[in-house]
Amino acid sequence: MDTFDAGAGSILRQPKAVWATAGASVVAFMGIGLVDPILPSIAKGLDANASQVSLLFTSYFLITALAMLVTGFVSSRIGGRKTLLLGLAFVVVFAGLAGTSDTVGQLVGYRAGWGLGNALFVSTALAVIVGAAAGGSAAAILLYESALGLGMACGPLVGALLGDASWRYPFFGTAFLMAIGFLCIAVFLKEQPKPARRTSLLDPVRALGHGGLASAAVSAFFYNYTFFTVLAFTPFVLNMTPYKSGAVFFAWGVLLAVFSVLVAPRMQRRFGSLKVLGGSLVLLAADVLVLGYGDHTTAILCTVLSGAFIGVNNTVYTELALGVSDAPRPVASAGYNFVRWFAAAAAPYFAPKIEEWTDIHVPFVVAAVTAVLGAVVVLVRRRALTHRAQELEPAHATEDSVTVFAN
């Protein structure tokens, strides 16, 4: 807990630029789960089925995956402030347009533009906060972690509150809040020095030539399929009102944040990263299997509980990805995320399709299998996944964790 104690005294004494960036980060992370509780409402409002509406996630994360090759290229050339503003501008425009959609196709397209903006913003925000913060990097990282957890937890709740009146309002609300963030960053954040070395478009792909980084990315690919089956498909299974669904995913997000920031590091110190990751993946597989075959109450409990396993996995995967190779952290992060976000794009599309082809249980069977496959990759490639992150100082491990999850 030294990392958190170190930053506790100075976390509140930050320049306005840091608060502006952190506030916009909360809204950016809210956007990931914002549509969760309103997916059924969108389907009803646009006369669409589950597989069509789930493309909101597919388009968002497909563009996010591809953008991993672009964000470092852009920020190393135009600087952090301009990259943040560009990303925010994309989100404001496309989130607002999403609220005006008359068809699922329009909404999916606007969501893709939103994904590009979000990728540009969140992949740059941590570096900007650390560069502008007072009190050292520990305080800045803790502030950013808090923004991440708050956004992930509050996204479904805000989506439910606004979406209860109309499915369009969460999109308009996001555009409005991000516009405020744009103005605050434009006013309070000064341009920071550009990186000494420019990042090329192919640097992240070249980094994947390292066997350990490639193994971490492949394992995370399987895990992310499970993760986003829960996030994007479960709302249709629960079939609850926006308020109730929002409450379920708010509790899910709270567990995710707590286990990611507080529990996972303790478990890693006691048992080691690979044992923790393998065990958590197997437990996640069991959880989603019970979710798929249990009654409604059981499905709710398993959905919330999955947040704990997902939180642990996110942290451990992050440290593996950034500690296993000699590639610069931003480059290793981009290569790793380039691979894993494709699963986040695939799961929301295939889960409802699999239900249409079979029944409502089978998508969760597939999700359980992919979680186990992720654990198998960790077991088989454990030598390649032996990494320097185990020797990192706690503050460094925390920084890595936030960087990769954000990206």
Side-chain angles (χ1 to χ4, degrees), residues 76-91:
S76 65
R77 284 162 174 77
I78 68 173
R81 180 177 180 273
K82 291 178 181 177
T83 303
L84 289 180
L85 293 175
L86 180 62
L88 288 171
F90 270 104
V91 174

Side-chain angles (χ1 to χ4, degrees), residues 143-293:
L143 181 62
Y144 191 80
E145 282 179 332
S146 302
L148 187 157
L150 184 63
M152 290 294 292
C154 291
L157 194 61
V158 172
L161 293 173
L162 295 177
D164 189 59
S166 170
W167 66 263
R168 300 179 187 274
Y169 290 171
F171 298 107
F172 292 141
T174 299
F176 176 75
L177 291 173
M178 283 304 227
I180 294 176
F182 182 97
L183 292 174
C184 289
I185 288 176
V187 172
F188 297 119
L189 180 64
K190 296 180 180 179
E191 186 59 82
Q192 296 178 305
K194 298 178 183 178
R197 177 183 177 275
R198 290 184 174 184
T199 301
S200 77
L201 292 174
L202 293 180
D203 279 352
V205 177
R206 294 190 184 102
L208 290 170
H210 187 281
L213 182 59
S215 298
V218 170
S219 180
F221 174 90
F222 288 122
Y223 154 66
N224 268 259
Y225 186 95
T226 308
F227 177 179
F228 285 93
T229 296
V230 174
L231 189 64
F233 183 64
T234 302
F236 294 104
V237 176
L238 297 180
N239 194 26
M240 303 166 73
T241 64
Y243 275 123
K244 292 180 179 179
S245 183
V248 169
F249 279 96
F250 173 74
W252 169 87
V254 168
L255 276 186
L256 187 155
V258 169
F259 274 75
S260 177
V261 175
L262 301 178
V263 178
R266 290 173 178 264
M267 295 177 65
Q268 287 176 273
R269 286 193 293 269
R270 182 168 182 178
F271 301 107
S273 295
L274 297 185
K275 289 181 180 179
V276 170
L277 181 58
S280 182
L281 285 168
V282 171
L283 290 174
L284 177 61
D287 180 78
V288 297
L289 200 59
V290 174
L291 192 165
Y293 282 93

Side-chain angles (χ1 to χ4, degrees), residues 9 47 71 82 113 210 235 305 372 393:
D47 192 24
T71 53
K82 291 178 181 177
H210 187 281
L305 181 60
V372 171
E393 293 295 324

Side-chain angles (χ1 to χ4, degrees), residues 268 273-274 316 319-320 323-324 384-391:
Q268 287 176 273
S273 295
L274 297 185
V316 181
E319 294 184 9
L320 283 175
V324 75
L385 289 169
T386 300
H387 58 97
R388 298 188 315 273
Q390 293 170 333
E391 287 84 40

